[in-house]
Amino acid sequence: MRATMMRTPLSLNQLLERAGRLYPESQIVSRRPDKSLARHSFADFYKRSRKLAGALLAAGLKKGERVATLCWNHHAHLECYFGIPAAGGVMHTLNLRLAPDDIAWIANHAKDRFLIVDDVLLPLLEQFRARVPFEKIIVFPFSGAAVPNEFTDYEAFLAGAPEAFDYAPHEEDDPVAMCYTSGTTGRPKGVVYSHRSTVIHTLMANQPDHWCLAARDSVMPVTPMFHANCWGVPYACVMMGIKMVFPGPHLHPEDLLSLMAAEQPTYVLGVPTIWISMAQLLESDPQKYRLPQGVRMLVGGAAMPEALIRTYAKHGASVSHGWGMTEMSPLGTVSYLKPELRNAGEDEKFRRLAMAGVPAPIMDIRLIGDDGREQPWDGVSMGEIQVRGPFIAGSYHEVATEPEKFTADGWLRTGDVAAIDRHGYVRIADRTKDLIKSGGEWISSVDMENRLMGHEAVQEAAVIAVADAKWGERPLACVVLKPGKAASAEDLRSHLAGAFAKWQLPDRVEFIEAIPRTSTGKFWKVKLREMFR
Ligand code: AMP
């Protein structure tokens, strides 16, 4: 017997068409470099995305060719999310925080044909332009200044598009976007998303227990649009006609708070480091700095300390904590309270919310121990998380399949070590390469950092392994104190002693000015290991 259902291809174009038809009045707000606000309607967005597609086709873009973006978060970048695939092209978001050498390497590896770049990022482009043979450089006049003659002006490019436009024909497995992993070791690797993977991820990630974004919401993505497609949130916003508030280049917590006060988003997203510095402002002057009432926060990309979730709760925000990776589109787990835990005490609730959460539907997840066997979900057995599913990468762009990334039976090896409890809550202990093995026993750096960041004098903490002649490795804690607060290494060890065995306590505590960040705003442990080798 055969199923009788239609086999129409999943397509981002359906999301764009729907947005144009059903939500023409929804708004897109973008903060410009001079901090003024640009306002566009979804009707503008629909028209301009299609214009971009038409202009790219007229410029000779062929199916599957890459159009790179080097842009902040704003409405034109959103137009690229939909306009480039509508032309049959692949949007390749370049990470503007990488070193120029790395950006050049990535753009060449991806064979980017065209580039769309913010005028305010032209000085960055100049540092690698000679090394990448972009055929056409289209400059978005984000600052409002005239675009230099040697480039194509984005607005003129759109204005010159032919009147009639037909979507480029495609299959659901055709590529729409690509991102390179942040690559803390070795060269970055390209992940290529398809219409199908993106639409399925959007439907999955917007479930009520996950993002739960509805037309009544308004969303402020602080997560860069070059970081795993802004976690896929823009696709959900377009699907449901949701107002978007883009902060542009202004990511200082004071700027974010003023934008939140002006536009009252109901949902914000970003990595924990952003929220660590914002919490400091909120605590410093609760009269002056306020969050929109009841705002929901999606936090991921690194572990969100429990103490910080509690701080935000005090300021009226609820935090949803997720784990995932570029290779997973990126969502893998989300922390929410399952029904059997709704009556748990406050402490248990916060403990749960600080875990990585419950595995998402439409994917498979397993824990594989050091012995190569699947580990039980008992909350203590640890193993590497392996995943598979329709929005998970099965290979990298033009890289020979590596056994350390993909198993012979078709699973992605995430490189994250975790335990899963009987309720299905995942607790990430570490990256495999960040684990600390002392005297043959593992110490979780994530657990130790979370505990340290719960100390009232600690603003940030990262724990790394340092070589030790006797024990193999010992933990070293790098700590940034809050301004005006004091704590000694002994104070911090006593604070940790409540939650860790004596042999696990760090022998060394280094007080530093700031913890170095990766290009996506996470603690950069490779750098710390170099500093304290
Ligand atoms: P990226 O592909 O840049 O988003 O990095 C993915 C990696 O970030 C994962 O493999 C984890 O090591 C880390 N990560 C993401 N979310 C979390 C989280 N909630 N807790 C701990 N680590 C996380």
Side-chain angles (χ1 to χ4, degrees):
M1 187 183 183
R2 290 169 67 96
T4 61
M5 309 317 287
M6 291 185 189
R7 188 88 180 90
T8 55
L10 300 176
S11 172
L12 285 186
N13 302 336
Q14 284 173 330
L15 270 50
L16 179 60
E17 277 300 308
R18 183 171 194 278
R21 182 168 290 238
L22 293 182
Y23 305 110
E25 288 167 31
S26 294
Q27 277 196 31
I28 302 166
V29 180
S30 310
R31 205 176 216 181
R32 298 192 187 97
D34 67 0
K35 295 198 180 175
S36 62
L37 298 180
R39 287 183 192 278
H40 291 83
S41 66
F42 267 40
D44 299 328
F45 156 68
Y46 172 73
K47 198 168 147 208
R48 289 169 58 88
S49 302
R50 288 168 50 103
K51 282 267 174 203
L52 172 61
L56 286 168
L57 285 171
L61 185 79
K62 298 204 186 57
K63 193 167 164 177
E65 286 184 334
R66 271 70 78 197
V67 180
T69 61
L70 188 62
C71 299
W72 292 105
N73 288 12
H74 51 60
H75 69 95
H77 210 168
L78 185 71
E79 290 155 18
C80 294
Y81 268 54
F82 286 85
I84 296 170
V90 179
M91 173 187 67
H92 175 202
T93 49
L94 292 169
N95 179 339
L96 57 88
R97 295 206 192 278
L98 290 177
D101 278 355
D102 291 332
I103 306 179
W105 185 90
I106 288 171
N108 280 320
H109 187 265
K111 298 199 180 72
D112 294 332
R113 184 172 172 202
F114 298 159
L115 170 71
I116 298 175
V117 53
D118 286 347
D119 60 356
V120 289
L121 293 170
L122 285 175
L124 171 60
L125 174 63
E126 275 318 310
Q127 295 177 55
F128 67 88
R129 184 178 161 201
R131 277 171 282 162
V132 187
F134 291 119
E135 202 179 300
K136 188 189 260 306
I137 296 176
I138 303 157
V139 176
F140 173 58
F142 193 20
S143 71
V147 169
N149 280 337
E150 61 188 302
F151 302 115
T152 303
D153 179 327
Y154 182 84
E155 295 302 338
F157 190 59
L158 262 55
E163 270 311 307
F165 167 73
D166 288 323
Y167 289 103
H170 71 84
E171 307 288 328
E172 66 176 16
D173 288 321
D174 285 345
V176 290
M178 78 186 298
C179 290
Y180 277 70
T181 56
S182 23
T184 40
T185 51
R187 284 294 192 185
K189 298 186 190 68
V191 175
V192 185
Y193 310 95
S194 63
H195 280 279
R196 174 182 158 84
S197 70
T198 310
V199 171
I200 294 177
H201 181 266
T202 307
L203 293 172
M204 177 283 292
N206 203 34
Q207 290 303 302
D209 281 328
H210 296 174
W211 302 342
C212 193
L213 293 172
R216 62 178 173 273
D217 279 308
S218 66
V219 174
M220 184 175 90
V222 183
T223 305
M225 292 175 87
F226 57 74
H227 185 198
N229 296 330
C230 201
W231 302 349
V233 167
Y235 299 115
C237 291
V238 168
M239 180 172 75
M240 300 316 296
I242 296 162
K243 175 180 170 183
M244 275 168 278
V245 181
F246 289 117
H250 303 291
L251 303 178
H252 188 276
E254 192 141 13
D255 289 323
L256 294 175
L257 281 169
S258 73
L259 186 59
M260 286 163 90
E263 294 297 318
Q264 295 289 307
T266 58
Y267 196 85
V268 296
L269 51 139
V271 290
T273 44
I274 297 270
W275 312 119
I276 292 173
S277 33
M278 185 181 284
Q280 230 189 308
L281 271 189
L282 292 169
E283 293 284 274
S284 70
D285 190 345
Q287 291 310 314
K288 180 168 170 200
Y289 300 110
R290 280 183 201 201
L291 294 172
Q293 197 51 41
V295 68
R296 288 139 59 210
M297 300 169 63
L298 175 66
V299 186
M304 178 78 167
E306 183 182 323
L308 204 56
I309 299 179
R310 285 178 183 266
T311 304
Y312 276 97
K314 206 174 73 186
H315 290 273
S318 58
V319 171
S320 163
H321 179 202
W323 164 85
M325 61 199 303
T326 304
E327 288 87 334
M328 300 174 68
S329 297
L331 194 70
T333 63
V334 183
S335 68
Y336 59 91
L337 290 176
K338 288 178 64 193
E340 66 263 37
L341 298 164
R342 293 245 150 90
N343 296 326
E346 281 294 285
D347 285 351
E348 174 66 358
K349 283 185 182 169
F350 280 113
R351 195 177 74 79
R352 292 271 163 197
L353 292 177
M355 290 172 134
V358 177
I362 326 185
M363 62 165 227
D364 300 319
I365 187 166
R366 69 183 183 187
L367 278 186
I368 300 292
D370 274 349
D371 57 1
R373 297 205 182 160
E374 194 163 345
Q375 299 296 300
W377 290 16
D378 58 10
V380 277
S381 304
M382 301 242 272
E384 181 188 33
I385 308 180
Q386 300 187 353
V387 289
R388 67 175 182 198
F391 45 84
I392 292 165
S395 62
Y396 291 106
H397 175 62
E398 291 188 0
V399 175
T401 305
E402 303 164 67
E404 72 266 23
K405 290 304 297 185
F406 301 97
T407 67
D409 62 344
W411 295 66
L412 169 75
R413 301 186 55 179
T414 66
D416 287 319
V417 177
I420 307 181
D421 71 13
R422 67 189 174 87
H423 297 286
Y425 284 78
V426 176
R427 187 170 53 81
I428 306 281
D430 252 311
R431 297 284 299 156
T432 11
K433 39 188 188 306
D434 292 339
L435 269 174
I436 305 162
K437 198 166 200 180
S438 183
E441 297 289 335
W442 297 112
I443 303 173
S444 160
S445 67
V446 173
D447 286 351
M448 195 171 281
E449 288 157 8
N450 285 346
R451 178 79 184 173
L452 283 168
M453 287 190 266
H455 187 284
E456 50 116 18
V458 175
Q459 183 170 325
E460 296 175 355
V463 177
I464 53 168
V466 283
D468 182 273
K470 185 169 175 199
W471 301 107
E473 284 177 349
R474 292 294 300 148
L476 180 152
C478 306
V479 172
V480 180
L481 292 176
K482 289 182 183 160
K485 298 272 184 179
S488 66
E490 217 26 70
D491 295 337
L492 297 180
R493 265 194 291 270
S494 325
H495 173 74
L496 287 172
F500 289 86
K502 205 157 168 237
W503 65 270
Q504 295 180 315
L505 299 182
D507 314 296
R508 274 170 75 189
V509 178
E510 297 281 349
F511 293 94
I512 55 178
E513 290 281 307
I515 293 178
R517 306 280 206 257
T518 68
S519 65
T520 49
K522 305 180 192 188
F523 292 161
W524 194 7
K525 292 198 176 175
V526 175
K527 192 88 195 156
L528 285 174
R529 282 196 285 267
E530 277 168 26
M531 285 163 65
F532 297 107
R533 194 158 30 205

